[in-house]
Amino acid sequence: MPLLVDVGTYGAANGGGTVGLTIFEAQMPADVDAGVCLNEYGSEEPEYVLSTDGVYIEHPRFQVYCRHTDFTTGRALIETWYRALALVVNQTLTATKYLRIEPLQSPYSVNPPQDAQGRWEWFCNFRTEKELG
């Protein structure tokens, strides 16, 4: 399965929302006041193993973006994602083996921390180590 599907499904199972209702891939609808969006971005080079043809391990990176009208609830939501994803070690998510998902920093807010509609925004970036899938 694609990375964002795996991560979204895992996040939903760990209290992060509902896929398609409050969890979105690549773009969150503008009218959603409380939700999470997962975005994949540039990664590190893959790894090869002598006994295997082609790429064996990938290192994709992704971002969790949280938006909410209530500061405390939104901050708790990004923290839920941060803590749940940091626990992924040697687990299969959907059908792909993830050796590790590592936060690249603690959740953060940008300046200004609210969007034009007054909704609070938080971000956290992650690096993965996973089998080709």
Side-chain angles (χ1 to χ4, degrees):
M1 297 297 293
L3 170 72
L4 299 183
V5 172
D6 291 343
V7 171
T9 302
Y10 178 80
N14 285 277
T18 304
V19 174
L21 184 63
T22 60
I23 300 171
F24 304 93
E25 297 171 22
Q27 185 173 6
M28 190 178 336
D31 62 343
V32 172
D33 289 329
V36 172
C37 186
L38 308 171
N39 288 295
E40 196 169 357
Y41 63 93
S43 64
E44 299 171 29
E45 71 276 3
E47 294 180 33
Y48 297 85
V49 176
L50 292 176
S51 63
T52 304
D53 291 334
V55 172
Y56 184 68
I57 301 291
E58 297 179 299
H59 299 283
R61 292 184 179 198
F62 66 95
Q63 181 178 76
V64 177
Y65 159 59
C66 176
R67 177 169 70 204
H68 207 285
T69 55
D70 179 70
F71 177 89
T72 303
T73 305
R75 184 62 177 86
L77 181 58
I78 194 75
E79 190 70 25
T80 295
W81 280 83
Y82 172 74
R83 290 175 183 250
L85 290 169
L87 293 175
V88 175
V89 177
N90 293 324
Q91 286 183 252
T92 299
L93 306 185
T94 313
T96 303
K97 176 77 173 210
Y98 285 77
L99 304 175
R100 180 174 302 280
I101 296 180
E102 300 173 329
L104 294 175
Q105 76 279 104
S106 297
Y108 65 95
S109 185
V110 295
N111 191 11
Q114 291 175 288
D115 67 9
Q117 289 75 37
R119 300 174 293 198
W120 297 93
E121 299 179 301
W122 292 270
F123 302 86
C124 192
N125 296 298
F126 295 86
R127 174 190 183 269
T128 66
E129 188 172 330
K130 70 181 199 65
E131 292 181 354
L132 186 64

